[in-house]
Amino acid sequence: MARPRNQTARRDQLVAAATRAVRRHGLSQVRVADIADEAGVARGSVHYYFRDLDELLQRVYQQAGDRFFTDRMNAAAALPDARHKLVESIMHGLPDGPDDELAVVLYEFGNCRTNPVFTALSQSLWDRQVAMYAAILEVGVGQGHFELTGPVLDLAANLVALEDAYGLHIVSRNGSLPPSRALELLLSYARSATGCAL
């Protein structure tokens, strides 16, 4: 049996291979064989480390969710000023570009309506992101920086929805909406919503 350190490394390798395979084949078409080929291992190796394909794909989703929620929430938490928290969160909520692998894969999961587990994961990520923005907006009000133009949850939901919409255009290679323009538009909405120059 492999040592635990090697098992962790192999599982990480398979998650990375599954991420690439989902990007290449699409979530609805990807198979264990595609992931094994991407990783350069036998199919049995995939089943050795993961109970089934869904378990492996959930790990892929978790990795993407960590980037777009956990990592940016932690980055914002380190900043005391709500204005800086908001800008930091917006900056890290968009894909880096059309080849941003984790963003592309996250949109694949968002379009999967036939798997109730993936639907629940997508809803959970949405809810957590809305809660993150709502908390930042409330801190900004408490600090005297923000004068919100609507209910806090509505404004927070709009920020997440705009991120999702602009991000989809970015990964779809819409040349009229590069990441820099999407960021400008999001910051413009945030300024309007908070009554703050940011």
Side-chain angles (χ1 to χ4, degrees), residues 105-135:
V105 167
L106 200 55
Y107 283 107
E108 282 288 325
F109 279 94
N111 288 328
C112 183
R113 295 182 290 267
T114 59
N115 186 315
V117 173
F118 298 152
T119 300
L121 288 170
S122 292
Q123 180 177 340
S124 173
L125 180 59
W126 165 271
D127 291 341
R128 287 182 290 151
Q129 289 176 314
V130 170
M132 176 196 72
Y133 272 123

Side-chain angles (χ1 to χ4, degrees), residues 66-80:
D66 284 348
R67 173 179 159 198
F68 286 100
F69 175 70
T70 307
D71 293 350
R72 69 173 166 156
M73 186 184 70
N74 290 340
L79 303 170

Side-chain angles (χ1 to χ4, degrees), residues 130 150-159 189:
V130 170
V152 67
L153 287 177
D154 291 355
L155 300 177
N158 282 336
L159 284 165
Y189 173 76

Side-chain angles (χ1 to χ4, degrees), residues 2 11 20 24 46 67 104 114 128-129 141 148 152 154-155 163 167 173 181 188:
R11 287 173 69 89
R20 293 190 302 272
R24 183 185 314 267
V46 178
R67 173 179 159 198
V104 172
T114 59
R128 287 182 290 151
Q129 289 176 314
V141 170
L148 304 183
V152 67
D154 291 355
L155 300 177
E163 281 180 356
R173 300 185 183 281
R181 178 64 176 143
S188 175

Side-chain angles (χ1 to χ4, degrees), residues 76-88 136 139-140 143-146 196 198:
L79 303 170
D81 190 310
R83 294 168 295 185
H84 301 150
K85 290 177 185 289
L86 185 56
V87 171
E88 182 79 12
I136 292 171
V139 169
Q143 291 177 343
H145 300 310
F146 298 162
C196 179
L198 295 176

